[in-house]
């Protein structure tokens, strides 16, 4: 029997070459927050003006724009698109400015998704 540590049998705590602190981290993918652009109903803005806004600033066909305008008209509000903060901000400003220039009370807002 030996007492020399170099001669003692492996106690089997862990397989050789696999000791040490685990340092690997899962890559955390950061997605930018998205913002919904909402169009609100009112009693005065002409339906055709709203349809034009949706075609002009949201790239919808006349049929898509008419359909969504009717959703806003009936339900009071609808999401017209989802964008990055900067794009959403620009769309809201474009719609609000266009409505103001035509003296319509149309309201467009954004909220974080
Ligand atoms: N309610 C308006 C009307 O009857 C039409 C309208 C639709 C106004 C959608 C705003 O976001 C709107 N003339």
């Amino acid at each position: 029997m030996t007492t020399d540590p170099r001669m003692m049998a492996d106690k089997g705590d862990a397989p050789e070459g696999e000791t040490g602190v685990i340092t690997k981290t899962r890559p955390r993918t950061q997605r930018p927050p998205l913002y919904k652009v909402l169009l609100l109903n009112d009693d005065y803005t002409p339906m055709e003006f709203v349809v034009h806004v949706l075609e002009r600033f949201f790239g919808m066909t006349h049929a898509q724009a008419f359909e969504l305008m009717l959703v806003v008209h009936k339900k009071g509000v609808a999401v017209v698109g989802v964008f990055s903060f900067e794009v959403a901000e620009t769309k809201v400003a474009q719609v609000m400015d266009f409505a103001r220039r035509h003296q319509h009370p149309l309201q467009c807002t954004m909220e974080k998704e």
Side-chain angles (χ1 to χ4, degrees):
M1 236 301 235
T2 178
T3 52
D4 183 342
R6 292 168 299 178
M7 300 296 286
M8 290 170 78
D10 186 274
K11 294 288 187 293
D13 294 43
E16 280 186 69
E18 290 190 24
T19 57
V21 178
I22 295 168
T23 55
K24 276 186 185 168
T25 51
R26 200 150 38 101
R28 292 234 133 270
T29 310
Q30 296 279 1
R31 283 176 307 180
L34 292 174
Y35 291 79
K36 296 180 284 197
V37 170
L38 309 163
L39 203 60
L40 280 64
N41 187 38
D42 67 73
D43 293 338
Y44 306 102
T45 305
M47 289 185 171
E48 274 310 317
F49 183 81
V50 178
V51 171
H52 181 68
V53 162
L54 292 173
E55 291 174 319
R56 183 175 179 134
F57 299 115
F58 297 92
M60 296 182 194
T61 65
H62 190 79
Q64 290 170 333
F66 197 90
E67 196 178 322
L68 192 51
M69 179 279 297
L70 279 183
V71 173
V72 180
H73 176 71
K74 289 174 185 165
K75 303 189 79 170
V77 62
V79 175
V80 299
V82 177
F83 308 98
S84 68
F85 181 85
E86 282 201 339
V87 174
E89 207 182 29
T90 301
K91 301 277 184 199
V92 170
Q94 287 173 329
V95 172
M96 293 299 284
D97 185 58
F98 193 63
R100 186 192 53 73
R101 273 161 35 217
H102 289 84
Q103 302 191 329
H104 295 311
L106 182 64
Q107 294 293 305
C108 185
T109 60
M110 61 191 271
E111 65 178 43
K112 200 169 180 181
E113 207 180 43

